[in-house]
Amino acid sequence: MAIPKLINEAKTNNKKLFLQFGGQGSPYLKELTKIYKDEPELKEFFDKTFETLNKLEKNNGGKSNRFISEGLDLKSWMENENSVPSEDYQMRGCISIPLIFIVQMANYLSFVQKGYSVSELLAQTAGLTGHSQGVISATIASMGKEGQDFYEVYSNFIDYMFYIGLRAQEEYPNFDVSEDVVKQVTDLGDKNPAPMVACIGYATEELEAKVQEINKENNLTGKHTIYASLYNASNSIVLSAEPSSLVLFRKKFKAEMDAKKGKFVFLKTTVPFHSPLVASSWTKFEQDLKERINFKYTGSDLKRPVYSIHDGKNLQQVENLGKELFDEMVIQTLHWDKALTELFRNSEIDTVIDFGPSVVSSKLTGGQLSDKKLEKRVVCVSNPKDLKHIYG
C-alpha cells in the first residue's frame, strides 16, 4: 500500500485539503482504459460499471436509439481498440457525461485504496467542488460511502449522469454539424465546430459587450442566442450557442482576436450546457427522477461542504440535490472563482487534489490562484508528474 503522503503532511502541519473534479471537454477513454488494465483491484468497481451501463442501454432501446446508436459497451471498447466508437460518438452528451464521471470515480477509488482511507481523507478535507459536471462527482465523494454502500450510490449516480446527458441531447439533437458550418469554420482557420467554445484573451466586461453586440446585430434570439456560460478566469470565458451563431461571432471579431493573440477553441461536447438553450430538458428529467433514477439525496447526506459552481453556496444547505445538481450543470452559469471561494479564503487549505480526467481543471484552479497571488499546491491524480507528490 502506498503512503498517504498528503494526509500525513496535512496532519503534521495542521493544514487541510480541497478536493475537485473536472468537467466536459477532456479526453477520457484512454485514461479509463489504462486504469482498467493496470489496476485489477478495481474489478468490483468495473463489474458494477458494466452492469449499470448494460442496464441503461437495454432500458433505452439499445442501438436503435439514435442517441446511443453505437451502444454503451464500455468493456468491449477498453478491451478491443477496434471496437472503440468514433470520437464524435464519444463526445455525445449521453456518452461523455456518464463516462467522465466513471473515470473520476475510478481515480477516486484507486486513490483511497492506495492508503488514503475515506474517513481520514474527509477528516482532512475542508471542502469539495467540481468544474461543470464535476460538482456532481464532488457530492458522491462528500458522502463518504464505502464498500457495498458506495457501489449502490455509485450505480444511482451513473443513472443520474446518463439521463442528464440523454435529456439534454434530446433537447439539442443536432450533434451532427452541417457541412456549411464546418466549411465556414475551416475557412476561418478553426476546426471541430461545437455548441460551446472557449474564448480566451478578452476581459470579462469586454467579452460580455461583444456577445450583446453580436446578438443584437444579427437578431440572435431564442435558440440562436449566444450566452456567456462558463467564467473560467478573468480572460477565459466559454460561450454556448448553436455553432452557426458562434461562427458569426468568430467572423466579426477574428481579426481583432488574432491581433491580440486571443484563442477561440471549440470544446469536445455536443450540448450547449450552462445555458437556457437546454433548460426545458428538465421536464423529462424530472420524470426520470420519479420513475427511473433512485436519487433521493439531500444536502444532509454530505459529510463535507460541496461548493456551488454558480454562486459558491454550500450544497449541504440544499434540500433537493436532484434538482439542484441538474440546474448547476445544465442551466446555470458557471463561475469558477465562486466555486473556489473557500480555497481562497481558508488559510488552512494548502493543497488541492484534482481527480481528472486530464489536467484541465487543475490548470484552471492554478490560474485562479496565480491571479490572486496565492501560493497553494495543486496536484492531479491524472498527471503522472504529480504522483510522487501524492503517494511518496
Side-chain angles (χ1 to χ4, degrees):
M1 181 176 287
I3 300 171
K5 184 178 180 183
L6 297 178
I7 287 180
N8 291 343
E9 289 177 352
K11 286 181 177 179
T12 300
N13 299 316
N14 293 316
K15 294 296 184 180
K16 294 290 186 180
L17 306 173
F18 191 86
L19 312 184
Q20 68 175 42
F21 297 78
Q24 286 274 291
S26 298
Y28 59 85
L29 189 57
K30 286 185 179 179
E31 184 172 332
L32 186 58
T33 301
K34 187 176 189 305
I35 299 170
Y36 176 63
K37 292 181 177 179
D38 291 353
E39 303 199 28
E41 62 272 17
L42 293 184
K43 181 180 185 303
E44 186 175 5
F45 168 84
F46 281 107
D47 286 346
K48 175 57 73 172
T49 299
F50 301 147
E51 175 189 322
T52 305
L53 291 175
N54 289 340
K55 175 202 69 177
L56 287 168
E57 181 177 342
K58 180 180 178 181
N59 291 347
N60 288 278
K63 294 181 179 180
S64 63
N65 182 333
R66 68 181 289 252
F67 296 102
I68 54 171
S69 56
E70 296 184 53
L72 294 169
D73 191 358
L74 176 61
K75 187 173 190 291
S76 175
W77 301 348
M78 294 194 296
E79 292 181 350
N80 178 11
E81 63 180 23
N82 292 325
S83 70
V84 175
S86 67
E87 187 170 313
D88 286 345
Y89 183 74
Q90 293 179 48
M91 285 168 54
R92 291 185 190 178
C94 49
I95 308 301
S96 63
I97 290 172
L99 266 60
I100 286 172
F101 169 73
I102 290 165
V103 178
Q104 292 169 334
M105 289 299 100
N107 278 331
Y108 167 78
L109 204 60
S110 172
F111 180 81
V112 299
Q113 288 186 359
K114 290 176 178 174
Y116 287 87
S117 73
V118 172
S119 58
E120 280 194 307
L121 178 61
L122 287 183
Q124 292 302 132
T125 296
L128 308 87
T129 195
H131 192 268
S132 190
Q133 73 167 79
V135 72
I136 303 174
S137 301
T139 62
I140 187 173
S142 176
M143 290 179 184
K145 300 293 185 180
E146 299 184 72
Q148 291 306 309
D149 288 341
F150 169 81
Y151 288 119
E152 180 181 345
V153 174
Y154 168 64
S155 182
N156 294 338
F157 268 69
I158 294 178
D159 290 347
Y160 185 89
M161 302 300 263
F162 171 79
Y163 280 107
I164 274 189
L166 179 63
R167 299 314 179 198
Q169 195 69 79
E170 287 175 344
E171 191 63 29
Y172 187 87
N174 311 314
F175 46 75
D176 292 321
V177 181
S178 72
E179 291 184 8
D180 178 57
V181 169
V182 171
K183 183 179 185 306
Q184 291 183 64
V185 168
T186 302
D187 290 345
L188 287 165
D190 301 316
K191 58 183 179 179
N192 303 322
M196 298 180 77
V197 66
C199 193
I200 302 169
Y202 284 117
T204 298
E205 298 79 7
E206 189 178 9
L207 183 64
E208 289 174 338
K210 292 183 183 303
V211 169
Q212 291 181 0
E213 178 184 342
I214 204 77
N215 280 334
K216 183 176 181 180
E217 186 178 283
N218 292 275
N219 194 30
L220 299 179
T221 60
K223 67 179 183 179
H224 304 295
T225 308
I226 300 175
Y227 295 92
S229 52
L230 293 88
Y231 289 73
N232 289 327
S234 58
N235 68 341
S236 177
I237 297 174
V238 172
L239 307 180
S240 293
E242 289 185 334
S244 57
S245 295
L246 295 175
V247 167
L248 292 175
F249 183 95
R250 180 61 161 159
K251 284 181 176 179
K252 177 151 181 95
F253 301 114
K254 182 181 189 307
E256 179 182 295
M257 293 176 73
D258 289 350
K260 63 193 306 180
K261 295 182 169 52
K263 295 181 180 179
F264 193 82
V265 183
F266 288 103
L267 305 187
K268 295 180 183 298
T269 187
T270 58
V271 177
F273 286 113
H274 298 285
S275 77
L277 296 170
V278 283
S280 57
S281 62
W282 168 249
T283 302
K284 283 188 177 180
F285 189 72
E286 183 180 24
Q287 201 64 28
D288 293 328
L289 286 171
K290 294 175 181 177
E291 299 176 357
R292 299 176 183 86
I293 312 171
N294 183 10
F295 205 89
K296 304 292 192 283
Y297 307 112
T298 70
S300 62
D301 292 314
L302 307 180
K303 294 183 178 179
R304 304 302 296 157
V306 175
Y307 294 103
S308 164
I309 54 177
H310 175 63
D311 58 15
K313 69 174 176 287
N314 181 356
L315 298 188
Q316 288 178 308
Q317 302 165 359
V318 171
E319 182 60 31
N320 183 351
L321 283 177
K323 179 66 165 69
E324 177 68 29
L325 293 172
F326 173 91
D327 288 346
E328 293 254 334
M329 177 186 166
V330 178
I331 303 171
Q332 292 177 336
T333 305
L334 178 150
H335 295 273
W336 194 228
D337 59 335
K338 293 180 181 179
L340 300 178
T341 299
E342 180 66 11
L343 173 63
F344 305 147
R345 182 196 68 80
N346 190 340
S347 61
E348 288 189 332
I349 302 173
D350 73 342
T351 300
V352 179
I353 306 175
D354 186 290
F355 290 91
S358 184
V359 297
V360 174
S361 55
S362 62
K363 288 185 175 181
L364 291 177
T365 297
Q368 286 280 351
L369 289 168
S370 295
D371 286 347
K372 291 181 167 36
K373 296 180 171 52
L374 292 171
E375 293 188 10
K376 303 198 180 198
R377 177 172 53 179
V378 181
V379 295
C380 178
V381 301
S382 299
N383 187 357
K385 294 180 181 179
D386 287 342
L387 298 184
K388 65 180 179 180
H389 301 296
I390 297 172
Y391 299 116

